[in-house]
Amino acid sequence: MDTVDPSLSVAELVAIVDENDNVVRSATRREMREKSLLHRATYIFVQNCKGQLYVQKRTLTKDYCPGWFDVCSGGVLQYGETYEQNAYRELEEEMGISGIELEHHFSFLFEQFVWGDVWFGCYDGEVTPQPEEVESVHLMTVSEIKERASSGEKFTPDGLMALDKLLQVRQISPYSLSQR
């Protein structure tokens, strides 16, 4: 059963990388998904002043983890795009958030599937979810995310891994992303 909307950027050219995160060629998004090619993506965590993260519920038309929660914004890098360009573009496209400073934290390899690049920003304001990609937005603390994921709610596995690594890198409380 294929619930993916075929018009969702399947012909978009994305960056294909090697095991060291060097771009080796371009491919369509469809080819990247069908052949499970190693590619790049950003993970943008945005927290409000209460220590809550903006968590997305993905639409059922997404080509990866449709209908699941995602603890961050982000997306696959287009061919020729930098991680930083992608982080700002994806945050504005998916959530309507612009004009905030994003802090780069680290890159990581997720299951020989994607090179992820993690960014963090603070924002208190309204969001405008992109209806093609984001069904809804929920404010959740880190502990709430962990409790809900433990109870069986579906969260993207790469997003949860990025969150765990971010918690370690920032040496922060499991209850928020605020610095200790």
Side-chain angles (χ1 to χ4, degrees):
M1 172 170 103
D2 188 8
T3 61
V4 176
D5 180 347
S7 67
L8 270 181
S9 44
V10 292
E12 172 187 36
L13 288 180
V14 300
I16 303 303
V17 296
D18 64 18
E19 64 279 355
N20 296 311
D21 196 23
N22 298 306
V23 175
V24 293
R25 69 181 183 97
S26 67
T28 63
R29 178 183 289 269
R30 171 176 280 151
E31 178 186 8
M32 179 263 300
R33 291 289 187 220
E34 287 174 353
K35 296 180 179 177
S36 298
L37 300 174
L38 188 57
H39 59 283
R40 290 176 167 176
T42 54
Y43 297 78
I44 307 117
F45 292 89
V46 180
Q47 180 184 44
N48 67 15
C49 67
K50 295 178 183 175
Q52 300 166 307
L53 288 172
Y54 291 86
V55 176
Q56 302 178 11
K57 174 84 180 228
R58 300 164 64 84
T59 62
L60 293 175
T61 56
K62 294 293 288 179
D63 63 1
Y64 174 70
C65 297
W68 293 25
F69 286 105
D70 200 346
V71 295
C72 53
S73 295
V76 174
L77 270 71
Q78 295 174 352
Y79 186 70
E81 186 175 43
T82 67
Y83 280 118
E84 183 175 14
Q85 290 167 334
N86 180 273
Y88 283 99
R89 179 179 63 79
E90 288 286 350
L91 186 58
E92 185 168 6
E93 283 180 10
E94 290 182 5
M95 304 288 281
I97 298 173
S98 63
I100 70 167
E101 184 177 336
L102 295 176
E103 178 184 354
H104 179 257
H105 278 278
F106 58 89
S107 297
F108 70 101
L109 181 61
F110 177 73
E111 295 184 356
Q112 297 297 317
F113 172 71
V114 62
W115 268 103
D117 204 54
V118 174
W119 297 76
F120 178 83
C122 293
Y123 178 75
D124 287 295
E126 295 297 315
V127 296
T128 307
Q130 182 182 29
E132 298 82 14
E133 295 193 26
V134 181
E135 180 181 301
S136 56
V137 177
H138 309 264
L139 290 169
M140 296 183 199
T141 63
V142 172
S143 60
E144 184 180 359
I145 291 165
K146 295 208 174 271
E147 288 169 16
R148 291 175 74 163
S150 293
S151 72
E153 287 191 62
K154 301 261 188 203
F155 285 80
T156 58
D158 52 332
L160 289 177
M161 178 187 213
L163 177 58
D164 285 341
K165 289 182 175 293
L166 183 61
L167 291 170
Q168 292 169 5
V169 167
R170 289 179 65 93
Q171 298 178 353
I172 50 184
S173 159
Y175 301 102
S176 88
L177 289 173
S178 301
Q179 297 278 7
R180 273 194 223 165

